[in-house]
Amino acid sequence: MRQRYKPWADDYLKEKNHIVLENPSVHKGEWKKVFGNDNPIHVEIGSGKGQFITGMAKQHPDINFIGIEVAKSIIVSTVQKVDEEALDNIRLLNEDANDLLAIFEENEIGQIYLNFSDPWPKNRHEKRRLTFRSFLEQYQHILPKSGQIVLKTDNRGLFEYSLVSFSDYGMKLKEVNLDLHAIEDETNVKTEYEEKFASMGHVIYRCTAQFSSL
């Protein structure tokens, strides 16, 4: 989806550099110092306009959240939400998530969320999918031994691909939900896309995959 250009985005992000951090690699291995506490840190890759990450931050004040979003025209909406609600347990990165090892140290992150990621349906684009093996290798490095990835999507193809990718990598599937909204999970924090697609009658899928502790 093409996003409307926002000429004020650069200046706004610089003004709010206590929320959206520049040069995140300088904090590698020291993210707990950034938050000023020893609470676990969870990462959402592709945080969009921020409905999920701000909802999670309010639901779990004892967890710190880092949202990664490459599009400036989108991340400014998240920054506005975080600023307006004074959520101290969120930091944002206006970055591409291709090289997480440059940003996070080994075992530094507690959990990863992949919400409505681009499915990249063409076979030639497989390596761009966030559940492709090269990404799983990075996740495994920055997560603890039994670290988890939580995936939500309305795209059946991406969901099935991810289940196979997780399994082939030797991960344990702790949850495979073929109709998330049917179970009425009150703890589920919905994303903007989730609400939109569900209102259109799309089924929402969710799975939780855990790396082996061995």
Side-chain angles (χ1 to χ4, degrees), residues 13-54:
L13 294 181
K14 289 179 181 178
E15 177 188 343
K16 302 298 180 180
N17 60 8
H18 60 293
I19 298 173
V20 55
L21 307 184
E22 299 180 358
N23 303 316
S25 60
V26 303
H27 302 297
K28 180 178 178 178
E30 299 185 345
W31 282 102
K32 288 191 175 181
K33 291 183 179 179
V34 171
F35 288 100
N37 58 57
D38 289 326
N39 292 341
I41 301 172
H42 292 187
V43 169
E44 182 188 17
I45 299 177
S47 54
K49 295 182 179 180
Q51 182 168 300
F52 176 82
I53 198 169
T54 54

Side-chain angles (χ1 to χ4, degrees), residues 8-182:
W8 50 269
D10 284 325
D11 290 338
Y12 181 74
L13 294 181
K14 289 179 181 178
E15 177 188 343
K16 302 298 180 180
N17 60 8
H18 60 293
I19 298 173
V20 55
L21 307 184
E22 299 180 358
N23 303 316
S25 60
V26 303
H27 302 297
K28 180 178 178 178
E30 299 185 345
W31 282 102
K32 288 191 175 181
K33 291 183 179 179
V34 171
F35 288 100
N37 58 57
D38 289 326
N39 292 341
I41 301 172
H42 292 187
V43 169
E44 182 188 17
I45 299 177
S47 54
K49 295 182 179 180
Q51 182 168 300
F52 176 82
I53 198 169
T54 54
M56 289 292 286
K58 288 185 283 188
Q59 188 176 106
H60 303 282
D62 56 342
I63 295 176
N64 297 318
F65 294 88
I66 297 175
I68 303 177
E69 175 57 57
V70 70
K72 288 182 181 179
S73 59
I74 297 177
I75 199 172
V76 290
S77 297
T78 310
V79 178
Q80 290 172 325
K81 289 182 176 72
V82 174
D83 190 39
E84 290 170 1
E85 302 196 42
L87 296 169
D88 292 334
N89 60 332
I90 294 180
R91 297 296 185 275
L92 302 171
L93 308 180
N94 182 209
E95 301 284 337
D96 194 302
N98 283 333
D99 190 6
L100 297 175
L101 304 189
I103 301 174
F104 304 114
E105 190 55 86
E106 184 177 4
N107 303 329
E108 191 168 21
I109 301 305
Q111 188 155 289
I112 291 174
Y113 303 96
L114 304 176
N115 292 318
F116 297 84
S117 308
D118 192 327
W120 294 105
K122 295 181 180 179
N123 290 337
R124 68 175 183 271
H125 293 151
E126 180 187 9
K127 292 183 179 180
R128 298 185 184 183
R129 297 171 192 159
L130 292 180
T131 52
F132 183 67
R133 183 179 182 87
S134 61
F135 282 103
L136 299 184
E137 290 172 349
Q138 293 192 60
Y139 305 154
Q140 185 177 28
H141 184 81
I142 66 176
L143 288 169
K145 289 184 178 180
S146 298
Q148 295 187 152
I149 300 170
V150 182
L151 168 75
K152 283 199 293 186
T153 183
D154 71 316
N155 188 287
R156 179 94 184 198
L158 177 62
F159 189 71
E160 293 176 348
Y161 171 88
S162 300
L163 294 180
V164 173
S165 185
F166 292 148
S167 297
D168 287 349
Y169 199 79
M171 300 180 72
K172 178 180 180 181
L173 297 174
K174 300 202 68 175
E175 177 197 22
V176 177
N177 196 310
L178 300 179
D179 191 351
L180 175 59
H181 289 188

